[in-house]
Amino acid sequence: MTVLFCFHFNEKNNGGVKSLLDMLEVFSEKGARIIATFPVKDGSAIEYLREQGVKVLYVPYTRWDYKLNASTKSKFKSFTWGRFKQIKTYIEALKFKKTLREEKIDIVYTNTNTIFFGAMLNAIYRIPHFWHVREFGDLDHGNGYILGFATFKKFIERYTTKMIVISKALKNYYESKGVPSEKMVTIYDDVSNEYLLNFNYEKFRGDSLNILIAGILQEGKGQIDVLKAFNELCKVGVKANLYIAGKGDESYTQKLRKYVADNQLNEKVHFLGFVEDMNTLRKKMHIAVVASKSEAFGRVTIEAMLGGLVVVATDAGANSELINNGKTGYLYPSGDYHKLFECIYKIQENRENMYETAVRAQKYAVQYTNGNCGMRIYQEMIKEI
């Protein structure tokens, strides 16, 4: 079986890209031939795949998402170019006919809902198409579709063999938007076992508390709520440091930095930018906060659990599917930084319980390292050959 994997982004640090790369290990073990396409020519993910012996093709297909909170001018530009983007991707799909034939491609796979090249290939050549949707779009990333949700829905119904969603929350969301239930299959993401770390009990015995929030810096990820809760912790005398790993929206980043400066938190809040080696960082952390307004799966949640951290997360999206509140982590009402503060304050008072919670969480999270996602998708694809 030869599978064409259409990537939306070229860097390994992207969550959707990391999840796909983890999944590809199963396809390699099964002897499937993997071909990858990217809309750009260079990047760490491209370099990694070539090192693994994967054939990588440059195909300049386009994205069809835009920021809902963008300026009127920016939105106008997005919609003006929308039809052009559709035509450009359609032309690239027409030009791809020779490659499909020469490479004897059996299946096309699309990663994330931000690109539609795979759907175009199905529309023209009727080749089986699997669309791996990893996001809500509007609720988590603040994105909309240039051609409208109705067009995306039509592409799922007409030009997609199976739509893979990464949580029950995501399936429920798309069902509520009219996507047929029979088109969807829920498969939780794989996470590499490289994030599985040995426990260091001694770090839980210290007086200080290290808190981590990791991910792209944008409104929907809730970093401002974490800063507000952290400020309350400092006010009541908790000896703590907050580490913010990731980069993103510049205006939002400046908003975060201003809050830190205005509240004299500069010596306790650390903006790390993009962190290549998250394992080394997590070894020093006690608590990981996942403050997203709506988490489609929670890859960072599982990574933190595997790393031996206590996870405190919003009760939105798929978090409640991954966390048994009070057993393998803690949930708090989304957007309520007072509750977040109260939760962390209570947790840090009992270091022994913190350790026991982290142990239970790691044991639970190990199941996501067994390649189940890749195996199930592989099996779904085999049915279509």
Side-chain angles (χ1 to χ4, degrees):
M1 179 173 70
T2 300
V3 185
L4 179 73
F5 289 90
C6 302
F7 283 74
H8 75 299
F9 197 63
N10 60 331
E11 298 295 340
K12 282 181 65 179
N13 64 297
N14 176 269
V17 173
K18 284 200 291 186
S19 294
L20 175 50
L21 293 177
D22 289 342
M23 189 185 87
L24 289 183
E25 294 179 11
V26 173
F27 280 77
S28 296
E29 291 170 2
K30 286 292 182 179
R33 182 166 175 256
I34 299 168
I35 299 176
T37 62
F38 287 83
V40 294
K41 295 181 179 180
D42 301 298
S44 59
I46 295 171
E47 182 180 343
Y48 169 80
L49 287 170
R50 284 179 173 152
E51 289 173 354
Q52 302 300 311
V54 173
K55 186 169 187 175
V56 178
L57 305 176
Y58 165 63
V59 183
Y61 44 77
T62 60
R63 295 173 64 120
W64 64 353
D65 57 323
Y66 74 99
K67 287 296 179 184
L68 293 170
N69 64 351
S71 66
T72 301
K73 181 179 179 180
S74 179
K75 286 182 180 179
F76 178 77
K77 182 179 179 181
S78 294
F79 286 110
T80 301
W81 283 95
R83 287 296 173 186
F84 169 77
K85 287 184 174 183
Q86 185 179 25
I87 293 169
K88 178 174 174 57
T89 298
Y90 180 72
I91 291 172
E92 292 300 329
L94 289 174
K95 291 163 58 179
F96 206 73
K97 181 178 181 179
K98 182 180 179 182
T99 302
L100 286 175
R101 183 178 65 251
E102 291 180 348
E103 300 293 347
K104 298 180 180 179
I105 294 170
D106 301 299
I107 301 282
V108 175
Y109 165 102
T110 297
N111 197 39
T112 83
N113 63 3
T114 63
I115 55 173
F116 57 104
F117 178 66
M120 284 293 192
L121 292 178
N122 176 274
I124 299 169
Y125 307 113
R126 309 313 301 169
I127 186 169
H129 173 229
F130 286 75
W131 205 330
H132 208 155
V133 176
R134 303 178 179 278
E135 56 278 296
F136 296 95
D138 53 353
L139 300 182
D140 46 5
H141 298 298
N143 291 343
Y145 300 90
I146 291 173
L147 302 177
F149 184 86
T151 301
F152 170 72
K153 180 173 173 286
K154 181 179 76 173
F155 276 32
I156 292 294
E157 293 172 343
R158 298 183 184 180
Y159 312 133
T160 303
T161 308
K162 277 293 180 183
M163 173 178 167
I164 304 159
V165 290
I166 59 177
S167 67
K168 295 174 184 176
L170 208 55
K171 185 174 187 290
N172 292 338
Y173 169 80
Y174 281 105
E175 279 184 346
S176 73
K177 302 277 279 187
V179 176
S181 177
E182 62 272 16
K183 273 286 184 180
M184 293 185 280
V185 56
T186 304
I187 304 175
Y188 290 114
D189 274 341
D190 288 333
V191 178
S192 173
N193 60 11
E194 70 181 78
Y195 297 103
L196 182 61
L197 303 179
N198 293 326
F199 266 100
N200 175 15
Y201 175 69
E202 291 302 315
K203 79 173 182 180
F204 288 94
R205 301 181 68 176
D207 293 330
S208 63
L209 183 72
N210 290 333
I211 303 169
L212 171 68
I213 179 166
I216 186 172
L217 303 188
Q218 63 183 29
E219 198 78 39
K221 293 297 184 180
Q223 286 94 352
I224 191 66
D225 291 335
V226 181
L227 280 175
K228 290 177 179 179
F230 181 77
N231 191 33
E232 296 300 314
L233 284 172
C234 294
K235 287 179 180 179
V236 297
V238 175
K239 185 180 179 182
N241 283 276
L242 174 63
Y243 297 82
I244 301 175
K247 59 182 182 179
D249 182 77
E250 187 58 35
S251 62
Y252 183 62
T253 302
Q254 291 306 313
K255 176 182 177 180
L256 299 177
R257 290 186 178 276
K258 185 177 185 302
Y259 183 89
V260 170
D262 289 348
N263 290 276
Q264 293 81 49
L265 296 172
N266 291 291
E267 294 183 2
K268 298 179 179 180
V269 176
H270 312 276
F271 289 90
L272 306 177
F274 169 66
V275 178
E276 182 72 36
D277 184 2
M278 287 298 296
N279 280 353
T280 298
L281 177 61
R282 287 191 175 109
K283 286 177 181 178
K284 304 172 185 177
M285 300 295 112
H286 301 93
I287 293 174
V289 180
V290 180
S292 304
K293 293 180 180 178
S294 200
E295 194 70 37
F297 168 66
R299 180 185 177 89
V300 291
T301 300
I302 299 301
E303 287 182 6
M305 288 179 168
L306 291 171
L309 281 71
V310 176
V311 178
V312 180
T314 60
D315 59 1
N319 288 332
S320 60
E321 296 175 45
L322 303 179
I323 295 174
N324 184 345
N325 192 28
K327 298 293 184 181
T328 59
Y330 298 88
L331 299 171
Y332 73 95
S334 179
D336 190 338
Y337 77 87
H338 288 289
K339 291 294 184 182
L340 174 58
F341 153 66
E342 291 173 0
C343 185
I344 296 176
Y345 183 80
K346 183 178 180 180
I347 292 169
Q348 61 87 34
E349 286 189 304
N350 189 334
R351 297 304 178 97
E352 182 67 29
N353 187 59
M354 281 178 63
Y355 172 75
E356 292 173 355
T357 301
V359 170
R360 287 193 296 267
Q362 189 182 70
K363 289 180 179 178
Y364 163 80
V366 168
Q367 66 182 295
Y368 294 98
T369 67
N370 61 13
N372 177 64
C373 173
M375 180 59 70
R376 285 192 60 192
I377 293 175
Y378 176 84
Q379 291 170 344
E380 291 286 340
M381 289 181 175
I382 285 291
K383 297 175 186 177
E384 302 300 324
I385 300 300

